Amino acid sequence: MTLPALLVSIITTVLAPILLMIGIGAFVRYRFKLDLGTLAKLNLWVFGPAFVFDKVANSTLAWSAMGGVVLVTALQVACLGALVFGIGKAARVAPQTLSAVALATMFYNAGNYGIPLAELAFPSRLGERDGAAIQAFVVLCQNLLNFTLGMYLATRHQPGRSGFAGAIASIFTLPAVPVVLLALLARTYLQADPSHALPVFISKTTSYLSLGLVPVALVTLGAQLATEWRWPRWRPIGLVLVLRLLVGPALMTVLLYGLHLTGWLDLWPWPAELLIITAAVPTAVNTLLLTIETNGDTELAADCVFWTTILSPLTLTLTIACTRLAFG
């Protein structure tokens, strides 16, 4: 396939459905003034947990590979954080601004954007790689780190906050941890004997609800973007755009290939190809929610989410094309 044909294929078969659903969400929010709180709760408490349970419980991925996906995702977050804070300290950036930039760079939209991208780029069919099943573990790691490390970074300069211990405790008020534990137990049970099967009321319910995650998540993302436009502070926004959309996938490539060469962790070439692509998605909306909750630089956080999402189709097209050419 020629390069122009490859680019057209990526845009029409992978990115166009995502962008269309985001656009529908933005239009519906503008036309009917949707309640974002309700949409966010549906994603957090219904469709997201059902998706994670269904994909983890029925995953055929080896235990070592599951742990490897979580580990390399955590390493990616740590390396990006070190890079951002190094640049911020050298440039003497204000603490609130630095925290907003760090959150926007380290934590990416692995769920609302990454899962549809994984499903479209690597569809689940018989004999083919299931990208969404891999991405479920990226979502798990990102969510856990976002509401623990992210919460700590957002509140570290604010008096009266509970700090890292409080952030750790807060994660247990969300459905992510219990759902994953139940899914791992279910996976162990299913793999213990080929005759084992989950009760129909559990398997069918989670299966049907998991199918709703992609459209609801993308409509929610579009609705969240349908806000009043303003001229942003381009210096910090520019740094986030470069680090999140360009350095993010490049760093993931270096980590995965380096771990492969050293023999410490071998996820190359699969699921490395998927992890590199989804590392190029825009800033997580959760970073804006954290900034709002902690009275941080909300304007900058909102602009990071908006502009990384708006410009991500350009960089994602480049990233997907490079990975397709490199991995064949």
Side-chain angles (χ1 to χ4, degrees):
M1 183 182 293
T2 63
L3 181 58
L6 176 60
L7 294 176
V8 170
S9 174
I10 291 168
I11 293 169
T12 56
T13 63
V14 178
L15 294 178
I18 293 174
L19 298 176
L20 182 57
M21 283 186 276
I22 291 174
I24 291 171
F27 172 77
V28 173
R29 166 77 190 283
Y30 174 78
R31 178 68 177 80
F32 299 107
K33 309 302 180 186
L34 292 181
D35 180 12
L36 279 179
T38 299
L39 286 174
K41 285 181 173 61
L42 283 172
N43 279 281
L44 181 63
W45 290 94
V46 180
F47 296 107
F51 176 88
V52 170
F53 182 90
D54 181 60
K55 293 299 183 182
V56 173
N58 296 294
S59 175
T60 58
L61 194 65
W63 289 101
S64 58
M66 290 166 51
V69 170
V70 172
L71 175 61
V72 78
T73 303
L75 284 174
Q76 162 88 339
V77 170
C79 290
L80 285 172
L83 183 59
V84 170
F85 278 100
I87 294 172
K89 293 295 184 183
R92 297 182 179 178
V93 177
Q96 272 198 333
T97 301
L98 182 56
S99 292
V101 170
L103 290 172
T105 302
M106 296 162 65
F107 302 108
Y108 47 94
N109 203 336
N112 293 40
Y113 202 124
I115 286 173
L117 178 64
E119 287 203 322
L120 289 165
F122 302 96
S124 176
R125 296 175 186 153
L126 188 62
E128 292 190 12
R129 297 161 173 169
D130 186 353
I134 304 293
Q135 189 64 15
F137 294 98
V138 179
V139 173
L140 166 65
C141 183
Q142 279 281 320
N143 284 346
L144 291 176
L145 290 174
N146 199 345
F147 288 104
T148 52
L149 178 60
M151 180 68 77
Y152 168 72
L153 292 176
T155 61
R156 65 197 182 98
H157 290 296
Q158 298 184 20
R161 293 289 182 173
S162 54
F164 190 67
I168 290 289
S170 70
I171 196 66
F172 292 96
T173 65
L174 300 172
V177 171
V179 166
V180 169
L181 293 177
L182 289 173
L184 292 174
L185 289 174
R187 184 181 191 270
T188 303
Y189 171 75
L190 292 173
Q191 291 190 339
D193 191 318
S195 65
H196 285 176
L198 294 175
V200 172
F201 72 89
I202 294 177
S203 60
K204 288 296 183 182
T205 300
T206 55
S207 176
Y208 288 145
L209 286 175
S210 69
L211 294 175
L213 176 65
V214 169
V216 174
L218 288 175
V219 167
T220 301
L221 178 58
Q224 288 166 328
L225 293 177
T227 56
E228 293 184 7
W229 187 87
R230 61 175 168 267
W231 191 254
R233 289 138 60 189
W234 280 117
R235 182 172 292 182
I237 294 292
L239 178 61
V240 171
L241 287 171
V242 171
L243 293 177
R244 173 84 305 279
L245 300 180
L246 298 176
V247 176
L251 177 60
M252 181 64 83
T253 304
V254 171
L255 286 173
L256 287 164
Y257 194 63
L259 291 169
H260 164 70
L261 288 179
T262 58
W264 289 353
L265 178 64
D266 197 357
L267 300 176
W268 195 277
W270 178 258
E273 184 177 359
L274 167 71
L275 296 174
I276 292 167
I277 291 173
T278 57
V281 298
T283 298
V285 177
N286 284 338
T287 61
L288 172 58
L289 301 180
L290 278 179
T291 307
I292 293 172
E293 177 67 23
T294 57
N295 298 314
D297 194 337
T298 55
E299 189 173 285
L300 178 58
D303 286 341
C304 288
V305 173
F306 181 85
W307 285 105
T308 56
T309 303
I310 292 297
L311 296 177
S312 63
L314 299 175
T315 54
L316 269 171
T317 301
L318 176 63
T319 301
I320 296 172
C322 290
T323 56
R324 292 277 168 86
L325 292 172
F327 288 91

